[in-house]
Amino acid sequence: MASTRRQFLNRILGGGITAIMAYIIYPVLKFLDPPSISSGERSKAFVATTEEMSLNSAKFFRLLDRAAVLVRLPNGNYKSLSAKCTDLGCTVSFRPAGDYFHCNCHGSEFSINGRVLRGPAARPLEEYDVSVVGDKIYVSAPVKSV
Amino acid sequence: MKHRTARFLEERINLGPVRDWIRRKAVPEHKYSVWYYFGGLALFLIVVQIITGILLAFYYSPTPSKANESVRFIMEKVRYGWLIRSIHFWGANFLIAVVLVHMFSTYFMKAYRKPREVMWVLGSLILGLLLGFAFTGYLLPWTTLSYFATKIGVNTPRVLPLIGNYLSRIMMGGSDVGAATLQRMFTLHTVVLPLLALTLIILHVLLSQVFGSSVPLSQSNYDKQMRFFPDYLLRDAAVWTVGLAILLTFATVFPASLSAKVNPLQPAPAGTKPMWYFLFMYQSLRMYSRTAAIGSIALGALVWMAVPFLDRKSAKGKKSTFFTLFGLALLIYLVSMTVFADISMKIH
């Protein structure tokens, strides 16, 4: 059935109002989304001295305003991981007796290497670079977001 | 003096229709009338929350370095600060409980049926906003528990396709919970949500005045009514007084505590769990896959809001057993999941 002139004009008006609303809402939604800063820079932090870190021990520290952990593996090597559970972001705790990390929020578990031992977490803990200069241990990670 | 004021107003505004409306306004009286009081009680508690919230905002500082200290200052130094915060804390809990009772009583009395469909939708949205208030307010004391509970809350939507990451980011104001999150939660809690909630509450109350109280189908043979002014209003005031007395008792006997300031390096404390009104979600997320749990809850909420449009029998004044059973099943699910979550947390 052909539409009347009134119906046609109503549709034009409705479409126009919708377009104006979208024109207003879109920048608001974009404004609320925080900008991602990726500068290619790395953040480096002094974490501990080699004397402080006994075998099978862990030290928590802040890197890029986030919780991170330095572990000394049973073979004597160092490893640094994000201490943020990959499930919902809670900080994990270290269980030296069992050589693993445990998240109190939903029970996820990670090996001392950051591998998932038990869900619900699906991804391993993010790994950072470790460098030993003399007796000082440094950890670095890329600055990738706000 | 009174006469003068009345005369002053009368000369300028025609108050006759308002007086007539008040004189005519009546509330149905039947064996389920007691449930009507929960709507008024919810409104009263909202006023309590607004007043105590404004008072707290005079001292609260929404920055990671000062948030916890400012709440401690309110509780330890400001005169009656502990009481105001305690009332705000318990008021939030009571308000959600009262609104839930109001919602389920409305549901089982089928008060959502024509012509009150929009009132039901508005009421459901108001409950959503109140839960939003609770969620955003929880982070404000900036304690370790509130920090991790918020982390769980803001990261949970990530599983949603397309909008999940965006939702999570705009709630956090970044890639992790921090200063930006605190600022955003404070803005939502004190500006955005109050504006939205007040608009919807005013509309909800206006519609309730237009339509009056709904009479359950089983009681439609009773035509007994009570005058709103002063008979019902006095009873309403008595309920508010009792409500306030219970609230004050809880606020003084079990004052709201304040745990230690956030230390993100500390592992999430054992027993990190949300407030009781989010426990059913928490337990659902633990028992089922994230996507299934969130998807089902979102879909369930939409169906719940659409019930007046789905329940055709009630709209025609007929008994609708299916929707009564649906409401009952939902109620049992909510209660059992909440209890189950609480028990399993205690065991672990």
Side-chain angles (χ1 to χ4, degrees):
Chain A
M1 200 172 73
S3 60
T4 62
R5 196 169 78 145
R6 183 179 291 273
Q7 282 170 334
F8 175 74
L9 289 173
N10 277 343
R11 275 189 208 129
I12 294 284
L13 185 67
I17 291 170
T18 310
I20 290 169
M21 292 305 288
Y23 193 71
I24 295 167
I25 290 168
Y26 181 76
V28 172
L29 293 178
K30 291 306 259 184
F31 176 86
L32 290 172
D33 193 4
S36 172
I37 298 164
S38 183
S39 60
E41 290 171 28
R42 294 184 73 80
S43 174
K44 193 172 181 179
F46 164 70
V47 181
T49 61
T50 48
E51 281 167 23
E52 279 178 63
M53 300 296 295
S54 56
L55 287 180
N56 229 19
S57 68
K59 186 177 180 185
F60 287 81
F61 62 99
R62 287 189 90 142
L63 187 69
L64 300 168
D65 215 25
R66 289 178 208 160
V69 62
L70 174 72
V71 285
R72 189 159 185 207
L73 303 172
N75 64 9
N77 290 339
Y78 297 99
K79 189 156 194 146
S80 181
L81 302 161
S82 159
K84 193 174 153 183
C85 176
T86 53
D87 178 30
L88 291 175
C90 294
T91 307
V92 296
S93 60
F94 183 59
R95 303 276 168 95
D99 300 352
Y100 68 96
F101 294 100
H102 176 83
C103 179
N104 280 329
C105 288
H106 292 93
S108 293
E109 284 174 2
F110 303 87
S111 73
I112 200 165
N113 286 301
R115 202 164 38 84
V116 177
L117 296 176
R118 202 177 113 184
R123 287 177 292 116
L125 295 174
E126 194 182 343
E127 195 172 338
Y128 301 136
D129 293 338
V130 181
S131 56
V132 182
V133 181
D135 67 338
K136 291 187 169 73
I137 308 166
Y138 296 90
V139 172
S140 67
V143 180
K144 55 182 176 187
S145 57
V146 285
Chain B
M1 188 67 196
K2 250 185 191 174
H3 282 295
R4 256 194 210 170
T5 315
R7 210 169 45 239
F8 177 86
L9 289 172
E10 201 71 64
E11 280 169 12
R12 284 152 184 85
I13 315 160
N14 180 14
L15 293 172
V18 178
R19 265 202 306 270
D20 286 348
W21 177 77
I22 291 172
R23 209 175 290 134
R24 275 202 317 272
K25 188 170 163 55
V27 178
E29 247 190 304
H30 48 78
K31 68 174 177 175
Y32 302 120
S33 298
V34 66
W35 298 106
Y36 292 150
Y37 291 108
F38 284 89
L41 185 57
L43 200 58
F44 173 74
L45 288 171
I46 285 168
V47 173
V48 170
Q49 288 305 92
I50 292 171
I51 294 169
T52 51
I54 290 171
L55 290 173
L56 291 172
F58 278 108
Y59 288 99
Y60 177 74
S61 191
T63 61
S65 58
K66 289 182 182 166
N68 191 268
E69 284 81 349
S70 64
V71 177
R72 198 169 294 285
F73 180 76
I74 290 169
M75 291 172 67
E76 292 174 2
K77 305 281 184 211
V78 179
R79 273 164 290 190
Y80 296 107
W82 66 272
L83 182 63
I84 301 295
R85 179 169 180 251
S86 248
I87 293 173
H88 198 69
F89 170 80
W90 282 110
N93 284 280
F94 279 30
L95 177 58
I96 289 173
V98 167
V99 169
L100 283 173
V101 173
H102 179 52
M103 184 182 72
F104 276 103
S105 60
T106 302
Y107 183 89
F108 288 117
M109 289 197 288
K110 307 284 162 62
Y112 54 72
R113 66 187 193 276
K114 192 178 173 184
R116 296 178 179 79
E117 300 98 320
V118 177
M119 273 184 77
W120 171 262
V121 174
L122 286 171
S124 307
L125 291 174
I126 292 168
L127 174 63
L129 290 177
L130 291 180
L131 292 175
F133 270 109
F135 180 70
T136 52
Y138 196 54
L139 181 69
L140 301 187
W142 202 240
T143 63
T144 303
L145 192 65
S146 70
Y147 173 81
F148 285 112
T150 304
K151 267 200 164 196
I152 296 172
V154 295
N155 279 302
T156 301
R158 276 186 191 278
V159 296
L160 291 173
L162 301 171
I163 55 162
N165 279 327
Y166 174 78
L167 278 180
S168 183
R169 269 201 320 274
I170 63 163
M171 280 197 281
M172 284 193 279
S175 57
D176 205 354
V177 174
T181 320
L182 187 57
Q183 182 69 50
R184 286 186 178 215
M185 292 294 167
F186 180 69
T187 309
L188 287 168
H189 193 77
T190 57
V191 181
V192 182
L193 291 174
L195 283 175
L196 288 173
L198 274 179
T199 310
L200 298 190
I201 289 165
I202 289 169
L203 285 173
H204 188 73
V205 172
L206 270 178
L207 286 179
S208 78
Q209 299 311 307
V210 171
F211 297 130
S213 302
S214 162
V215 179
L217 290 170
S218 64
Q219 305 297 307
S220 49
N221 293 334
Y222 298 85
D223 52 3
K224 212 173 151 195
Q225 291 202 318
M226 182 193 288
R227 284 186 307 166
F228 179 79
F229 187 83
D231 300 348
Y232 185 80
L233 193 61
L234 283 174
R235 284 167 174 77
D236 234 358
V239 171
W240 299 344
T241 311
V242 172
L244 184 63
I246 297 171
L247 179 58
L248 286 174
T249 307
F250 269 79
T252 45
V253 178
F254 311 105
S257 59
L258 179 69
S259 52
K261 187 179 172 174
V262 171
N263 177 3
L265 290 189
Q266 233 177 26
T272 299
K273 61 170 184 174
M275 295 294 284
W276 62 270
Y277 33 81
F278 288 128
L279 279 179
F280 79 95
M281 280 192 207
Y282 175 81
Q283 189 60 26
S284 305
L285 287 166
R286 282 173 54 159
M287 285 174 66
Y288 311 111
S289 86
R290 291 277 148 79
T291 320
I294 294 178
S296 310
I297 291 168
L299 188 69
L302 282 176
V303 171
W304 187 247
M305 273 207 289
V307 158
F309 308 101
L310 302 172
D311 183 3
R312 307 313 307 166
K313 279 191 174 175
S314 282
K316 289 174 189 159
K318 291 178 190 164
K319 210 174 157 190
S320 61
T321 317
F322 174 79
F323 283 93
T324 305
L325 292 175
F326 174 68
L328 211 56
L330 183 76
L331 187 60
I332 291 168
Y333 180 79
L334 294 181
V335 173
S336 58
M337 290 301 254
T338 304
V339 172
F340 190 40
D342 195 50
I343 291 170
S344 68
M345 291 299 296
K346 278 174 186 152
I347 291 168
H348 287 102

